[in-house]
């Protein structure tokens, strides 16, 4: 799959998985804030607090798998990009630059 369309597909897969991971991280933070605010109330229900904690735990359980899939996809994309640089001729540098910048932004985060 060292074609240009394969590169675009892998780039979009990495983008989607990166967004998914960021979404889960934001959701965990939001749920933790809600639980903290809820437990500060004098008349909070313990059952409701446990349900909120369960939602946090379930979301946190999704993160390792999401990170693993993101790492796998980014490694595949990196190998694909390296294959394009190793090949002869100019192969549409816009897609290669997009993939490279995406990989760099994932490394930074």
């Amino acid at each position: 799959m060292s074609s240009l369309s394969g590169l675009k597909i892998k780039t979009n897969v990495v983008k989607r998985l990166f967004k998914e991971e960021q979404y889960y991280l934001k959701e965990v933070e939001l749920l933790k804030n809600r639980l903290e605010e809820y437990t500060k109330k004098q008349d909070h229900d313990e059952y409701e607090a446990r349900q909120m904690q369960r939602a946090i735990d379930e979301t946190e359980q999704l993160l390792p798998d999401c990170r693993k899939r993101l790492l796998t996809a980014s490694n595949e994309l990196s190998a694909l990009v390296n294959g394009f640089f190793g090949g002869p001729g100019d192969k549409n540098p816009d897609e290669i630059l997009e993939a490279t910048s995406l990989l760099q932004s994932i490394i930074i985060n």
Side-chain angles (χ1 to χ4, degrees), residues 29-45:
E29 191 65 33
L30 177 69
L31 291 172
K32 283 182 178 181
N33 289 338
R34 284 184 185 167
L35 178 61
E36 184 179 323
E37 290 295 319
Y38 185 74
T39 55
K40 286 181 181 179
K41 290 182 184 178
Q42 292 292 331
D43 59 343
H44 71 274
D45 183 20

Side-chain angles (χ1 to χ4, degrees), residues 29-103:
E29 191 65 33
L30 177 69
L31 291 172
K32 283 182 178 181
N33 289 338
R34 284 184 185 167
L35 178 61
E36 184 179 323
E37 290 295 319
Y38 185 74
T39 55
K40 286 181 181 179
K41 290 182 184 178
Q42 292 292 331
D43 59 343
H44 71 274
D45 183 20
E46 285 299 318
Y47 175 77
E48 188 69 30
R50 282 194 310 270
Q51 291 300 100
M52 289 177 161
Q53 184 61 49
R54 181 179 290 166
I56 293 169
D57 294 342
E58 288 175 1
T59 304
E60 286 178 336
Q61 288 177 354
L62 297 172
L63 282 169
D65 180 56
C66 185
R67 285 189 183 126
K68 180 181 171 186
R69 289 183 291 130
L70 177 60
L71 180 63
T72 301
S74 60
N75 287 339
E76 291 172 0
L77 179 61
S78 180
L80 200 55
V81 167
N82 290 336
F84 273 100
F85 283 126
D90 185 27
K91 298 187 178 180
N92 204 340
D94 291 338
E95 282 79 7
I96 295 172
L97 291 175
E98 180 184 2
T100 305
S101 66
L102 177 63
L103 288 170

